[in-house]
Amino acid sequence: MAEIEKESSNEQIIKDQIEQDERIQEDQQKNGEYKFNQEKFEELAKQKNYNTLAKIAEKNKSQFKIFKRLKWKGQLYQINESIRVNFQDSLRIGIIKRIASIKSFVDNQELPLLQLNWYFSKIDLDSQWERYMKCFSEYELFLTEISDFIFIGQIIDKVKVLSLNEYDSFLDDDISGQNRLFFMRCTYNTDKKSINPNPNELEKVCFCDMPQNPDLVYIFCESCKKWLHMDCVHLTEDEAKNIEEYICVQCNK
């Protein structure tokens, strides 16, 4: 009986020690205090856990370097350029905030990483913004505060993110057909689920008093000088083509 109690006591000591080690490891992970060595480097790189890898490596200045630009497969990438990448098995667009390289411990090889701030599209926005979906374009992006490190091998291509006015002037350019042309007029805070500036503050068009969506077709009223949605004035594109000078219903009253 005594031997069984002694064995149980030893098992409890071992269990307590494991739990203590796990708590220490969790605290180290939270504080970025992992011992950074080749084993940890290879482990995190294999897991593609680049955020943790960069956080740990950044504390070791001899292993972590920051650059202004990077050349990859003949293409130059720089800070504040927007790129499309393969991230967690989906296509994402982000803006380059930092270019970094982490040196391994044994062969001086380097792991080049990019830190991106992610853009959201309208389908990523909170449901409270549903009423504005009509005025948000399929090619409209919302810059967020969310940031991740990626390996440069995840890059697909560069994209252009313009202002709305710039985007309007490029709509006939061939680049739009390649889905590499986008625009941004608002940012999105994922914690507060807020859009800045608020859509109510954007320039309005039409009787519906909604922000412009360049995906939609508009007709111009020569009297009130407003651009109007075709569905708001109950016209088809074919009908509009036969109208030389359009005067809207409200101006005709």
Side-chain angles (χ1 to χ4, degrees):
M1 185 69 163
E3 289 181 357
I4 296 176
E5 290 177 350
K6 184 177 181 180
E7 184 177 342
S8 299
S9 177
N10 287 337
E11 288 178 353
Q12 185 61 44
I13 291 173
I14 294 172
K15 182 179 179 181
D16 291 343
Q17 183 62 49
I18 291 174
E19 291 179 351
Q20 182 179 354
D21 290 343
E22 288 177 347
R23 286 195 297 270
I24 292 173
Q25 190 177 33
E26 289 176 0
D27 290 340
Q28 287 177 333
Q29 185 173 6
K30 289 178 182 178
N31 299 325
E33 295 173 356
Y34 272 132
K35 183 180 179 181
F36 189 46
N37 52 31
Q38 184 64 21
E39 181 181 358
K40 183 57 63 178
F41 176 93
E42 292 179 359
E43 176 189 341
L44 293 173
K46 186 177 181 179
Q47 295 172 353
K48 299 182 180 179
N49 190 348
Y50 303 125
N51 287 338
T52 301
L53 178 56
K55 183 178 180 180
I56 298 172
E58 194 167 5
K59 297 180 180 296
N60 189 333
K61 300 304 181 184
S62 64
Q63 305 298 131
F64 189 88
K65 301 294 183 183
I66 296 292
F67 299 91
K68 292 182 178 180
R69 57 187 65 86
L70 170 74
K71 196 170 187 179
W72 171 252
K73 293 186 176 180
Q75 180 69 62
L76 187 65
Y77 297 92
Q78 303 183 79
I79 305 298
N80 291 328
E81 286 186 328
S82 296
I83 58 175
R84 182 161 34 202
V85 304
N86 190 337
F87 184 77
Q88 297 178 351
D89 297 324
S90 64
L91 296 183
R92 298 283 299 276
I93 297 176
I95 184 170
I96 301 173
K97 302 311 294 181
R98 286 201 297 176
I99 299 172
S101 179
I102 302 175
K103 186 186 295 184
S104 70
F105 287 82
V106 294
D107 51 14
N108 285 328
Q109 290 189 349
E110 298 191 4
L111 180 69
L113 301 176
L114 303 178
Q115 186 179 23
L116 305 181
N117 269 49
W118 296 115
Y119 291 105
F120 273 16
S121 65
K122 67 179 185 178
I123 63 174
D124 301 312
L125 303 178
D126 187 73
S127 59
Q128 66 177 294
W129 301 107
E130 181 67 30
R131 66 180 293 260
Y132 289 100
M133 288 300 107
K134 176 182 175 181
C135 67
F136 292 146
S137 167
E138 297 295 328
Y139 297 96
E140 183 166 4
L141 300 177
F142 302 80
L143 185 61
T144 74
E145 79 286 0
I146 300 176
S147 176
D148 284 295
F149 278 91
I150 68 158
F151 173 59
I152 58 170
Q154 295 172 251
I155 297 174
I156 296 175
D157 56 11
K158 285 187 180 184
V159 299
K160 288 183 177 292
V161 181
L162 310 172
S163 68
L164 177 56
N165 289 336
E166 291 171 329
Y167 180 81
D168 273 340
S169 67
F170 274 95
L171 280 181
D172 294 328
D173 196 296
D174 288 341
I175 194 173
S176 61
Q178 300 173 24
N179 295 329
R180 291 194 287 115
L181 188 66
F182 301 86
F183 72 93
M184 187 189 81
R185 52 183 165 178
C186 300
T187 60
Y188 183 69
N189 186 298
T190 59
D191 289 330
K192 299 178 180 178
K193 296 179 171 52
S194 61
I195 296 176
N196 185 40
N198 189 290
N200 284 328
E201 300 172 13
L202 298 175
E203 184 178 354
K204 308 295 194 305
V205 297
C206 194
F207 305 139
C208 62
D209 203 31
M210 295 288 279
Q212 176 190 355
N213 179 351
D215 295 350
L216 303 179
V217 179
Y218 296 81
I219 189 167
F220 186 72
C221 174
E222 298 292 343
S223 178
C224 62
K225 309 301 182 185
K226 286 185 178 181
W227 286 102
L228 309 171
H229 294 114
M230 302 288 282
D231 55 348
C232 288
V233 295
H234 308 293
L235 284 175
T236 66
E237 288 188 46
D238 288 337
E239 290 171 336
K241 288 177 183 178
N242 296 320
I243 300 175
E244 293 185 6
E245 185 174 294
Y246 178 72
I247 304 297
C248 70
V249 176
Q250 291 193 6
C251 292
N252 268 326
K253 287 181 179 179

